[in-house]
Amino acid sequence: MHELPKILQDAIGQFSKLPGVGEKTATRQILLMSNWPYQEIVNFSLAMKELTELRKCQECGMFADGDKCHVCLSPERALTRSICVVEDIVDCMAIQKSEQFNGLYHVLGGVL
């Protein structure tokens, strides 16, 4: 990778930190992105930068825009006595997507 400019090398290095993305895939993706219009690259960069502002709900641990997530803010769910304890936010998101559970969550953030 020594023949590539440092900017590309750095971008490939960062992209390859994603799970399942090796150097070859990262190189392909970054080279593809290098052909994007300027504004698309800026929009992508801003979206990644905004991840630093991502918050977690103070009640359950799910992703939130403010102090509480949309689930904990829901008046209907607040009346339930059902709590689903999950290992990770990804589990919570999958259950939410199924629309089969209408209670509250508690995200452990790992295994016990």
Side-chain angles (χ1 to χ4, degrees):
M1 213 176 15
H2 296 288
E3 65 277 355
L4 294 176
K6 183 173 179 353
I7 291 172
L8 285 175
Q9 290 179 31
D10 291 346
I12 290 166
Q14 293 302 314
F15 206 86
S16 65
K17 290 181 179 180
L18 293 170
V21 178
E23 185 178 330
K24 187 175 178 180
T25 298
T27 301
R28 277 196 305 265
Q29 295 298 326
I30 294 300
L31 291 176
L32 177 106
M33 291 170 68
S34 71
N35 290 316
W36 287 0
Y38 173 82
Q39 194 57 50
E40 287 298 314
I41 294 173
V42 168
N43 293 344
F44 185 87
S45 299
L46 288 174
M48 295 303 104
K49 183 179 181 252
E50 287 177 355
L51 286 174
T52 62
E53 299 171 19
L54 190 60
R55 299 171 71 177
K56 291 190 179 174
C57 176
Q58 292 177 350
E59 294 289 322
C60 70
M62 179 63 171
F63 291 127
D65 291 321
D67 291 336
K68 291 186 179 182
C69 69
H70 71 283
V71 174
C72 290
L73 288 172
S74 170
E76 297 84 31
R77 289 181 186 242
L79 298 174
T80 184
R81 294 185 183 266
S82 298
I83 296 178
C84 181
V85 179
V86 295
E87 177 183 342
D88 202 315
I89 291 173
V90 175
D91 302 320
C92 184
M93 292 169 62
I95 294 168
Q96 273 293 101
K97 188 175 181 178
S98 75
E99 298 181 357
Q100 298 298 308
F101 180 72
N102 293 316
L104 299 171
Y105 295 93
H106 179 77
V107 180
L108 295 174
V111 293
L112 294 175

